[in-house]
């Protein structure tokens, strides 16, 4: 074949590739072309909602005040909202803020409509927060050892609110029941905001909830706090002992939140979103507002697609054997 003809054939073969790359480039440089929706899989006013709303504010500021709206798609422990995003148009206009529960649901649910490891384009880890074991303000026990004793005596009469199977409050409750050797009467809600309302209204006995949602109520003494689930006490709540030091040896739960897009979102959009997320996590006002509710912002290494992919996969691997050992599944 003459050299010239061969070059033509090679060039023609490369055309579709070039066209695809050009289309992706055009698509990403045009992005965003309409309001960005951040789906929260739990109720408005709860901890995930708070993380999502502060993130949405930060993303909007990073994107020249582009409109970023939050939508609560609740139910089934957060899997309904996750599925909403897994099946959304992968154009960078529909995102998900979810927490550690996305990794536990991968094992807890026998059938999920999406494959957790592959259904999303990871964008960035956002925040971390300890959980707090709390009860209605007039609940009889005053310390964690007293609580364990009380729960053992009451058998299953004490009500425990969670945000559904797969929520962090479900995970914490499951670990707590096994560590304390107690059975609680579990009541499922669509998020921790309504759980907190019922604790304040004293129609529910107890829960385990992120410091993001409980710091203010603990400080105002509107709920009774027994322990924090970090290894060390935290400076802002110095009188609150760790679960570990109060007798639940090794008890530790960290609730990480992260931002996802649907699988297939153009790489250039993923990178722009990740850069915007990193910028948002350095926005002084946002960092301050998170700090006030004992919620820390992720560093650049974790606030990246690779950082989130690593976190998501290692958390699925970490929780799977514990959930299997507990033998608690949902359909
Ligand atoms: N993150 C909460 C939980 O897992 C739910 C919520 O954000 O409302 O328990």
């Amino acid at each position: 074949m003459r050299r010239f003809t061969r070059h033509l054939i090679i060039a023609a073969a490369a055309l579709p590739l070039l066209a695809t790359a050009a289309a992706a480039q055009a698509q990403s440089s045009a992005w965003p072309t309409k309001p960005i929706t951040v789906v929260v899989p739990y109720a408005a006013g709860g901890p995930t909602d708070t993380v999502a709303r502060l993130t949405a504010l930060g993303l909007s500021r990073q994107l020249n005040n582009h409109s970023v709206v939050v939508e609560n798609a609740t139910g089934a422990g957060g899997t309904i909202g996750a599925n909403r995003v897994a099946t959304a148009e992968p154009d960078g206009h529909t995102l998900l803020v979810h927490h550690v529960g996305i990794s536990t649901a991968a094992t807890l649910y026998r059938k999920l409509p999406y494959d957790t490891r592959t259904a999303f384009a990871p964008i960035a880890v956002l925040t971390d927060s300890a959980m707090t074991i709390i009860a209605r303000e007039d609940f009889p026990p005053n310390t964690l050892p007293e609580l364990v004793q009380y729960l053992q005596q009451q058998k299953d009469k004490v009500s425990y609110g969670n945000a559904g199977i797969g929520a962090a409050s479900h995970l914490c409750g499951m670990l707590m029941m096994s560590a304390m050797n107690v059975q609680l009467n579990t009541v499922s809600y669509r998020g921790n905001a309504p759980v907190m309302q019922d604790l304040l209204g004293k129609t529910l006995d107890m829960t385990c909830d992120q410091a993001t949602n409980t710091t203010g109520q603990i400080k105002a003494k509107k709920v009774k706090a027994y322990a924090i689930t970090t290894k060390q006490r935290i400076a802002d709540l110095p009188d609150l002992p760790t679960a570990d030091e109060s007798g639940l040896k090794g008890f530790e739960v960290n609730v990480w939140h992260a931002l996802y897009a649907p699988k297939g979102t153009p790489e250039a959009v993923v990178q722009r979103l990740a850069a915007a997320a990193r910028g948002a996590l350095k926005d002084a006002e946002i960092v301050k507002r998170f700090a006030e509710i004992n919620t820390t912002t992720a560093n650049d290494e974790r606030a990246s697609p690779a950082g989130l992919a690593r976190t998501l996969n290692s958390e699925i691997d970490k929780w799977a054997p514990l959930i299997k050992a507990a033998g608690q599944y949902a359909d």
Side-chain angles (χ1 to χ4, degrees), residues 40 42-43 46-49 99 131 162-163 166-170 190-194 208-210 255 257:
V40 175
Y42 301 109
T48 308
D49 186 67
H99 62 22
M131 299 201 87
N162 71 21
S169 43
H170 169 264
R190 285 178 178 267
N192 272 103
C208 185
D209 188 5
Q210 282 107 277
V255 181
H257 277 85

PDB file of all heavy atoms in Angstrom, residues 40 42-43 46-49 99 131 162-163 166-170 190-194 208-210 255 257, ligand 1:
ATOM      1  N   VAL A  40     -29.887  13.830  48.485  1.00  0.00           N
ATOM      2  CA  VAL A  40     -29.574  13.383  49.845  1.00  0.00           C
ATOM      3  C   VAL A  40     -30.521  12.220  50.142  1.00  0.00           C
ATOM      4  O   VAL A  40     -31.734  12.379  50.025  1.00  0.00           O
ATOM      5  CB  VAL A  40     -29.820  14.518  50.862  1.00  0.00           C
ATOM      6  CG1 VAL A  40     -29.620  14.021  52.286  1.00  0.00           C
ATOM      7  CG2 VAL A  40     -28.902  15.686  50.575  1.00  0.00           C
ATOM      8  N   TYR A  42     -31.505  10.921  52.848  1.00  0.00           N
ATOM      9  CA  TYR A  42     -32.166  10.977  54.170  1.00  0.00           C
ATOM     10  C   TYR A  42     -32.939  12.298  54.309  1.00  0.00           C
ATOM     11  O   TYR A  42     -32.790  13.197  53.484  1.00  0.00           O
ATOM     12  CB  TYR A  42     -31.130  10.846  55.289  1.00  0.00           C
ATOM     13  CG  TYR A  42     -30.344   9.569  55.233  1.00  0.00           C
ATOM     14  CD1 TYR A  42     -29.006   9.581  54.863  1.00  0.00           C
ATOM     15  CD2 TYR A  42     -30.944   8.341  55.498  1.00  0.00           C
ATOM     16  CE1 TYR A  42     -28.277   8.395  54.775  1.00  0.00           C
ATOM     17  CE2 TYR A  42     -30.224   7.161  55.414  1.00  0.00           C
ATOM     18  CZ  TYR A  42     -28.893   7.192  55.055  1.00  0.00           C
ATOM     19  OH  TYR A  42     -28.198   6.017  54.955  1.00  0.00           O
ATOM     20  N   ALA A  43     -33.691  12.397  55.402  1.00  0.00           N
ATOM     21  CA  ALA A  43     -34.609  13.530  55.593  1.00  0.00           C
ATOM     22  C   ALA A  43     -33.886  14.874  55.733  1.00  0.00           C
ATOM     23  O   ALA A  43     -32.737  14.933  56.190  1.00  0.00           O
ATOM     24  CB  ALA A  43     -35.454  13.275  56.839  1.00  0.00           C
ATOM     25  N   GLY A  46     -31.284  16.597  58.862  1.00  0.00           N
ATOM     26  CA  GLY A  46     -30.425  15.623  59.541  1.00  0.00           C
ATOM     27  C   GLY A  46     -28.962  15.828  59.177  1.00  0.00           C
ATOM     28  O   GLY A  46     -28.617  16.770  58.461  1.00  0.00           O
ATOM     29  N   PRO A  47     -28.075  14.933  59.663  1.00  0.00           N
ATOM     30  CA  PRO A  47     -26.645  15.134  59.446  1.00  0.00           C
ATOM     31  C   PRO A  47     -26.195  15.057  57.986  1.00  0.00           C
ATOM     32  O   PRO A  47     -25.378  15.881  57.547  1.00  0.00           O
ATOM     33  CB  PRO A  47     -25.998  14.022  60.273  1.00  0.00           C
ATOM     34  CG  PRO A  47     -27.081  13.031  60.556  1.00  0.00           C
ATOM     35  CD  PRO A  47     -28.365  13.788  60.536  1.00  0.00           C
ATOM     36  N   THR A  48     -26.728  14.113  57.215  1.00  0.00           N
ATOM     37  CA  THR A  48     -26.312  14.009  55.810  1.00  0.00           C
ATOM     38  C   THR A  48     -26.811  15.217  55.031  1.00  0.00           C
ATOM     39  O   THR A  48     -26.116  15.773  54.184  1.00  0.00           O
ATOM     40  CB  THR A  48     -26.838  12.694  55.192  1.00  0.00           C
ATOM     41  OG1 THR A  48     -26.455  11.624  56.061  1.00  0.00           O
ATOM     42  CG2 THR A  48     -26.269  12.442  53.819  1.00  0.00           C
ATOM     43  N   ASP A  49     -28.027  15.638  55.383  1.00  0.00           N
ATOM     44  CA  ASP A  49     -28.604  16.831  54.770  1.00  0.00           C
ATOM     45  C   ASP A  49     -27.729  18.057  55.071  1.00  0.00           C
ATOM     46  O   ASP A  49     -27.471  18.878  54.187  1.00  0.00           O
ATOM     47  CB  ASP A  49     -30.022  17.013  55.331  1.00  0.00           C
ATOM     48  CG  ASP A  49     -30.769  18.137  54.665  1.00  0.00           C
ATOM     49  OD1 ASP A  49     -31.073  18.010  53.467  1.00  0.00           O
ATOM     50  OD2 ASP A  49     -31.046  19.148  55.339  1.00  0.00           O
ATOM     51  N   HIS A  99     -23.135   8.659  52.968  1.00  0.00           N
ATOM     52  CA  HIS A  99     -22.103   8.430  53.986  1.00  0.00           C
ATOM     53  C   HIS A  99     -21.688   6.970  54.028  1.00  0.00           C
ATOM     54  O   HIS A  99     -21.967   6.198  53.103  1.00  0.00           O
ATOM     55  CB  HIS A  99     -22.562   8.963  55.336  1.00  0.00           C
ATOM     56  CG  HIS A  99     -23.793   8.306  55.882  1.00  0.00           C
ATOM     57  ND1 HIS A  99     -24.220   7.068  55.516  1.00  0.00           N
ATOM     58  CD2 HIS A  99     -24.690   8.731  56.798  1.00  0.00           C
ATOM     59  CE1 HIS A  99     -25.312   6.749  56.182  1.00  0.00           C
ATOM     60  NE2 HIS A  99     -25.629   7.766  56.966  1.00  0.00           N
ATOM     61  N   MET A 131     -19.801   9.491  65.959  1.00  0.00           N
ATOM     62  CA  MET A 131     -21.198   9.345  66.373  1.00  0.00           C
ATOM     63  C   MET A 131     -21.277   9.545  67.876  1.00  0.00           C
ATOM     64  O   MET A 131     -20.262   9.453  68.587  1.00  0.00           O
ATOM     65  CB  MET A 131     -21.738   7.974  65.999  1.00  0.00           C
ATOM     66  CG  MET A 131     -21.714   7.746  64.504  1.00  0.00           C
ATOM     67  SD  MET A 131     -22.841   6.457  63.939  1.00  0.00           S
ATOM     68  CE  MET A 131     -24.366   7.354  63.697  1.00  0.00           C
ATOM     69  N   ASN A 162     -33.512   4.582  64.240  1.00  0.00           N
ATOM     70  CA  ASN A 162     -32.451   4.666  63.223  1.00  0.00           C
ATOM     71  C   ASN A 162     -33.045   5.147  61.908  1.00  0.00           C
ATOM     72  O   ASN A 162     -34.256   5.296  61.773  1.00  0.00           O
ATOM     73  CB  ASN A 162     -31.686   3.343  63.084  1.00  0.00           C
ATOM     74  CG  ASN A 162     -32.497   2.246  62.420  1.00  0.00           C
ATOM     75  OD1 ASN A 162     -33.473   2.504  61.719  1.00  0.00           O
ATOM     76  ND2 ASN A 162     -32.089   1.005  62.634  1.00  0.00           N
ATOM     77  N   ALA A 163     -32.144   5.410  60.965  1.00  0.00           N
ATOM     78  CA  ALA A 163     -32.583   5.957  59.673  1.00  0.00           C
ATOM     79  C   ALA A 163     -32.732   4.848  58.632  1.00  0.00           C
ATOM     80  O   ALA A 163     -32.539   5.079  57.441  1.00  0.00           O
ATOM     81  CB  ALA A 163     -31.612   7.030  59.209  1.00  0.00           C
ATOM     82  N   GLY A 166     -28.969   0.173  56.796  1.00  0.00           N
ATOM     83  CA  GLY A 166     -27.942   0.727  55.908  1.00  0.00           C
ATOM     84  C   GLY A 166     -27.522   2.121  56.346  1.00  0.00           C
ATOM     85  O   GLY A 166     -26.516   2.632  55.877  1.00  0.00           O
ATOM     86  N   ALA A 167     -28.287   2.729  57.268  1.00  0.00           N
ATOM     87  CA  ALA A 167     -27.900   4.057  57.762  1.00  0.00           C
ATOM     88  C   ALA A 167     -26.783   3.908  58.793  1.00  0.00           C
ATOM     89  O   ALA A 167     -26.567   2.823  59.352  1.00  0.00           O
ATOM     90  CB  ALA A 167     -29.103   4.746  58.395  1.00  0.00           C
ATOM     91  N   ALA A 168     -26.075   4.983  59.059  1.00  0.00           N
ATOM     92  CA  ALA A 168     -25.003   4.941  60.058  1.00  0.00           C
ATOM     93  C   ALA A 168     -25.593   4.637  61.435  1.00  0.00           C
ATOM     94  O   ALA A 168     -24.980   3.936  62.250  1.00  0.00           O
ATOM     95  CB  ALA A 168     -24.263   6.265  60.078  1.00  0.00           C
ATOM     96  N   SER A 169     -26.782   5.173  61.695  1.00  0.00           N
ATOM     97  CA  SER A 169     -27.434   4.928  62.980  1.00  0.00           C
ATOM     98  C   SER A 169     -27.819   3.453  63.112  1.00  0.00           C
ATOM     99  O   SER A 169     -27.859   2.908  64.219  1.00  0.00           O
ATOM    100  CB  SER A 169     -28.667   5.822  63.125  1.00  0.00           C
ATOM    101  OG  SER A 169     -29.395   5.839  61.917  1.00  0.00           O
ATOM    102  N   HIS A 170     -28.088   2.806  62.008  1.00  0.00           N
ATOM    103  CA  HIS A 170     -28.359   1.363  62.034  1.00  0.00           C
ATOM    104  C   HIS A 170     -27.070   0.599  62.324  1.00  0.00           C
ATOM    105  O   HIS A 170     -27.030  -0.289  63.177  1.00  0.00           O
ATOM    106  CB  HIS A 170     -28.955   0.913  60.696  1.00  0.00           C
ATOM    107  CG  HIS A 170     -29.017  -0.576  60.540  1.00  0.00           C
ATOM    108  ND1 HIS A 170     -28.047  -1.293  59.879  1.00  0.00           N
ATOM    109  CD2 HIS A 170     -29.908  -1.485  61.002  1.00  0.00           C
ATOM    110  CE1 HIS A 170     -28.348  -2.577  59.922  1.00  0.00           C
ATOM    111  NE2 HIS A 170     -29.472  -2.720  60.598  1.00  0.00           N
ATOM    112  N   ARG A 190     -36.985   8.002  58.313  1.00  0.00           N
ATOM    113  CA  ARG A 190     -36.399   8.341  57.012  1.00  0.00           C
ATOM    114  C   ARG A 190     -35.126   9.175  57.153  1.00  0.00           C
ATOM    115  O   ARG A 190     -34.583   9.680  56.179  1.00  0.00           O
ATOM    116  CB  ARG A 190     -37.420   9.097  56.163  1.00  0.00           C
ATOM    117  CG  ARG A 190     -38.462   8.160  55.640  1.00  0.00           C
ATOM    118  CD  ARG A 190     -39.528   8.838  54.835  1.00  0.00           C
ATOM    119  NE  ARG A 190     -40.448   7.843  54.333  1.00  0.00           N
ATOM    120  CZ  ARG A 190     -40.345   7.262  53.143  1.00  0.00           C
ATOM    121  NH1 ARG A 190     -39.384   7.591  52.327  1.00  0.00           N
ATOM    122  NH2 ARG A 190     -41.209   6.349  52.775  1.00  0.00           N
ATOM    123  N   GLY A 191     -34.660   9.334  58.382  1.00  0.00           N
ATOM    124  CA  GLY A 191     -33.450  10.113  58.605  1.00  0.00           C
ATOM    125  C   GLY A 191     -33.347  10.439  60.074  1.00  0.00           C
ATOM    126  O   GLY A 191     -34.261  10.154  60.861  1.00  0.00           O
ATOM    127  N   ASN A 192     -32.220  11.046  60.458  1.00  0.00           N
ATOM    128  CA  ASN A 192     -32.044  11.352  61.872  1.00  0.00           C
ATOM    129  C   ASN A 192     -32.717  12.649  62.319  1.00  0.00           C
ATOM    130  O   ASN A 192     -32.805  12.905  63.523  1.00  0.00           O
ATOM    131  CB  ASN A 192     -30.567  11.364  62.239  1.00  0.00           C
ATOM    132  CG  ASN A 192     -30.116   9.977  62.618  1.00  0.00           C
ATOM    133  OD1 ASN A 192     -29.460   9.295  61.829  1.00  0.00           O
ATOM    134  ND2 ASN A 192     -30.507   9.538  63.795  1.00  0.00           N
ATOM    135  N   ALA A 193     -33.177  13.450  61.371  1.00  0.00           N
ATOM    136  CA  ALA A 193     -33.919  14.655  61.776  1.00  0.00           C
ATOM    137  C   ALA A 193     -35.203  14.251  62.507  1.00  0.00           C
ATOM    138  O   ALA A 193     -35.445  14.694  63.636  1.00  0.00           O
ATOM    139  CB  ALA A 193     -34.205  15.541  60.575  1.00  0.00           C
ATOM    140  N   PRO A 194     -36.058  13.380  61.926  1.00  0.00           N
ATOM    141  CA  PRO A 194     -37.247  12.957  62.682  1.00  0.00           C
ATOM    142  C   PRO A 194     -36.918  12.131  63.919  1.00  0.00           C
ATOM    143  O   PRO A 194     -37.666  12.161  64.902  1.00  0.00           O
ATOM    144  CB  PRO A 194     -38.062  12.145  61.666  1.00  0.00           C
ATOM    145  CG  PRO A 194     -37.158  11.861  60.529  1.00  0.00           C
ATOM    146  CD  PRO A 194     -36.109  12.921  60.516  1.00  0.00           C
ATOM    147  N   CYS A 208     -28.162   6.573  68.144  1.00  0.00           N
ATOM    148  CA  CYS A 208     -26.743   6.846  67.965  1.00  0.00           C
ATOM    149  C   CYS A 208     -26.718   7.744  66.732  1.00  0.00           C
ATOM    150  O   CYS A 208     -27.261   7.375  65.692  1.00  0.00           O
ATOM    151  CB  CYS A 208     -26.077   5.501  67.695  1.00  0.00           C
ATOM    152  SG  CYS A 208     -24.317   5.532  67.581  1.00  0.00           S
ATOM    153  N   ASP A 209     -26.174   8.917  66.840  1.00  0.00           N
ATOM    154  CA  ASP A 209     -26.292   9.879  65.744  1.00  0.00           C
ATOM    155  C   ASP A 209     -25.000  10.680  65.626  1.00  0.00           C
ATOM    156  O   ASP A 209     -24.274  10.857  66.605  1.00  0.00           O
ATOM    157  CB  ASP A 209     -27.495  10.806  66.041  1.00  0.00           C
ATOM    158  CG  ASP A 209     -27.850  11.725  64.883  1.00  0.00           C
ATOM    159  OD1 ASP A 209     -27.243  11.610  63.803  1.00  0.00           O
ATOM    160  OD2 ASP A 209     -28.742  12.579  65.080  1.00  0.00           O
ATOM    161  N   GLN A 210     -24.748  11.166  64.420  1.00  0.00           N
ATOM    162  CA  GLN A 210     -23.517  11.909  64.191  1.00  0.00           C
ATOM    163  C   GLN A 210     -23.462  13.188  65.020  1.00  0.00           C
ATOM    164  O   GLN A 210     -24.474  13.857  65.202  1.00  0.00           O
ATOM    165  CB  GLN A 210     -23.407  12.298  62.717  1.00  0.00           C
ATOM    166  CG  GLN A 210     -22.967  11.165  61.844  1.00  0.00           C
ATOM    167  CD  GLN A 210     -24.129  10.657  61.008  1.00  0.00           C
ATOM    168  OE1 GLN A 210     -24.954   9.855  61.452  1.00  0.00           O
ATOM    169  NE2 GLN A 210     -24.210  11.111  59.801  1.00  0.00           N
ATOM    170  N   VAL A 255     -18.144   8.333  60.731  1.00  0.00           N
ATOM    171  CA  VAL A 255     -19.069   8.501  59.608  1.00  0.00           C
ATOM    172  C   VAL A 255     -18.443   9.446  58.582  1.00  0.00           C
ATOM    173  O   VAL A 255     -18.345  10.648  58.811  1.00  0.00           O
ATOM    174  CB  VAL A 255     -20.437   9.027  60.084  1.00  0.00           C
ATOM    175  CG1 VAL A 255     -21.383   9.163  58.898  1.00  0.00           C
ATOM    176  CG2 VAL A 255     -21.022   8.068  61.102  1.00  0.00           C
ATOM    177  N   HIS A 257     -18.552  11.114  54.859  1.00  0.00           N
ATOM    178  CA  HIS A 257     -19.503  11.481  53.805  1.00  0.00           C
ATOM    179  C   HIS A 257     -18.735  11.723  52.511  1.00  0.00           C
ATOM    180  O   HIS A 257     -17.573  12.134  52.557  1.00  0.00           O
ATOM    181  CB  HIS A 257     -20.259  12.768  54.161  1.00  0.00           C
ATOM    182  CG  HIS A 257     -21.427  12.547  55.056  1.00  0.00           C
ATOM    183  ND1 HIS A 257     -21.325  12.483  56.415  1.00  0.00           N
ATOM    184  CD2 HIS A 257     -22.744  12.379  54.776  1.00  0.00           C
ATOM    185  CE1 HIS A 257     -22.530  12.278  56.933  1.00  0.00           C
ATOM    186  NE2 HIS A 257     -23.411  12.218  55.968  1.00  0.00           N
TER     187      HIS A 257
HETATM  188  N1  LIG B   1     -26.814   9.870  58.580  1.00  0.00           N
HETATM  189  C1  LIG B   1     -27.958   9.475  59.322  1.00  0.00           C
HETATM  190  C2  LIG B   1     -27.805   8.061  59.720  1.00  0.00           C
HETATM  191  O1  LIG B   1     -27.261   7.317  59.107  1.00  0.00           O
HETATM  192  C3  LIG B   1     -29.210   9.701  58.580  1.00  0.00           C
HETATM  193  C4  LIG B   1     -29.400  11.122  58.259  1.00  0.00           C
HETATM  194  O2  LIG B   1     -28.478  11.757  57.761  1.00  0.00           O
HETATM  195  O3  LIG B   1     -30.482  11.630  58.489  1.00  0.00           O
HETATM  196  O4  LIG B   1     -28.252   7.578  60.645  1.00  0.00           O
END
